[in-house]
Amino acid sequence: MLIGGIEAGGTKMVCAVSDESGQLKDRISLPTGRPEETLGEIAAFFQKYEIEALGIGCFGPLDLDRGSATYGYITKTPKAGWEHFDIVGYFKNALKVPVGFDTDVNGAILGEVTWGAAKGCDCAIYITVGTGVGVGVYSNGRLLHGLVHPEAGHILLARHPEDNYKGRCPFHPNCMEGLASGPAIGERWGKPAAELAGCDKVWEMEAYYIAQAVADYIVTYSPQKIILWGGVMHQEQLFPMVRSRVRELLNGYVHHEMLGEKIDEYIIPPALGEDPGILGAVRLGMLELELRSGDR
Ligand code: ADP
Ligand code: ZN
């Protein structure tokens, strides 16, 4: 059986065809232009295969409420041409297969829960610190949506005492995305984040912010694994700094070996390398097919 997946990002779209064990058979990546420039090429890629279902992990915000008239739409985005765009409807119509749909970060945690570092977990989160900050939440065996879907990248943080940077979120002066995303690092220090590897102060401040968010997610979601990734986490020195600061912040309050001697196995990069998002999208397609055929 073949399943299609799309990791739909604001800058690029990764598309793949996979079998049901997550073995990718073919993939393409193309820049995200306007829908009418990009989607025809994607549909043509999938039309070369007999896929049974498609899954889309998509940049948001999204309407994930199956009871809503605009279920399957990208909602309020500044991205030209994509606001109120019915992406699920487009592919249902073009490919005539069931289409699973969720946020890009929920797709990524689903990939890791199915085939990666969070395999077997009931509760796990995926945090990406890149151009933005996003958090995918898998809770009690399913992806968390709730009122809309979690937007935990906008969690409010206490400022580092030496940080005078104004923040880059237009909505919140003190949120994680505004203070800790890759572009925020670049703007604060006057150089792209990737060129600041040797500057200890940069990463001490970054770990200060990431650890606050992680500690808050631990006390709220109680995840069994925390997968941290995105461009900024390519600075791998951040992992031990975040782990040790998380322990300081929790201050012994949450008792578990994962927060003690096993913390190196708890706050970790993905096991699927750069592919949790695309594999999670494939899994979204499989779950939609099961739902349609009454297995779930
Ligand atoms: P996106 O969030 O757009 O999906 P990424 O997760 O790759 O993509 O994040 C890209 C951002 O991550 C860049 O804008 C840059 O600020 C930051 N970044 C990329 N590479 C590095 C690196 N090696 N070290 C630190 N920051 C990086
Ligand atoms: Zn914000």
Side-chain angles (χ1 to χ4, degrees):
M1 180 168 72
L2 294 178
I3 307 287
I6 304 175
E7 183 185 7
T11 44
K12 68 175 195 286
M13 301 263 180
V14 181
C15 309
V17 171
S18 169
D19 68 13
E20 64 268 44
S21 67
Q23 286 296 318
L24 299 184
K25 305 289 178 197
D26 194 3
R27 71 193 286 163
I28 55 167
S29 173
L30 46 152
T32 307
R34 297 179 64 91
E36 62 274 20
E37 295 160 356
T38 310
L39 297 181
E41 202 175 327
I42 295 178
F45 167 72
F46 289 117
Q47 277 156 349
K48 292 189 291 178
Y49 298 91
E50 297 230 331
I51 60 168
E52 309 273 327
L54 177 73
I56 309 173
C58 193
F59 70 91
L62 309 176
D63 187 345
L64 299 176
D65 174 2
R66 287 181 187 266
S68 156
T70 52
Y71 168 75
Y73 283 52
I74 296 170
T75 58
K76 193 170 162 286
T77 173
K79 219 174 151 45
W82 292 93
E83 190 172 14
H84 303 301
F85 184 78
D86 180 11
I87 188 166
V88 168
Y90 176 89
F91 282 106
K92 271 190 175 159
N93 191 40
L95 303 175
K96 313 279 186 243
V97 294
V99 178
F101 185 53
D102 218 306
T103 62
D104 44 7
V105 276
N106 267 0
I109 191 57
L110 183 63
E112 286 292 320
V113 162
T114 310
W115 291 301
K119 204 167 166 182
C121 292
D122 293 328
C123 297
I125 63 172
Y126 181 97
I127 307 164
T128 176
V129 188
T131 309
V133 179
V135 183
V137 183
Y138 189 78
S139 181
N140 285 346
R142 55 196 294 185
L143 295 169
L144 186 65
H145 296 160
L147 187 67
V148 182
H149 43 73
E151 287 284 11
H154 291 261
I155 195 164
L156 306 180
L157 303 177
R159 270 183 179 265
H160 190 286
E162 291 161 43
D163 189 9
N164 299 317
Y165 171 58
K166 65 185 184 327
R168 97 185 285 287
C169 175
F171 297 89
H172 319 112
N174 279 17
C175 79
M176 165 91 159
E177 179 165 300
L179 295 175
S181 63
I185 300 171
E187 211 169 77
R188 177 189 291 110
W189 301 98
K191 236 192 204 185
E195 293 172 25
L196 291 162
C199 303
D200 295 348
K201 189 73 209 161
V202 171
W203 308 110
E204 184 262 315
M205 191 176 283
E206 185 67 10
Y208 178 91
Y209 288 133
I210 297 173
Q212 274 189 65
V214 168
D216 286 348
Y217 306 146
I218 291 171
V219 291
T220 48
Y221 299 129
S222 199
Q224 294 152 318
K225 288 276 180 197
I226 296 173
I227 319 275
L228 251 179
W229 205 230
V232 171
M233 293 309 300
H234 287 71
Q235 300 289 329
E236 295 198 13
Q237 72 275 23
L238 280 169
F239 280 93
M241 295 167 82
V242 168
R243 291 177 190 129
S244 103
R245 184 108 191 106
V246 163
R247 285 177 63 162
E248 273 173 48
L249 289 169
L250 293 175
N251 200 20
Y253 184 72
V254 182
H255 285 277
H256 197 282
E257 60 181 359
M258 283 297 176
L259 294 163
E261 72 263 30
K262 291 198 168 170
I263 198 161
D264 292 358
E265 299 166 37
Y266 182 55
I267 300 172
I268 50 176
L272 301 176
E274 301 299 330
D275 287 345
I278 187 63
L279 285 166
V282 166
R283 182 69 184 152
L284 283 171
M286 290 169 64
L287 292 176
E288 191 69 16
L289 191 62
E290 286 175 21
L291 193 68
R292 291 306 157 94
S293 56
D295 293 353
R296 291 169 73 233

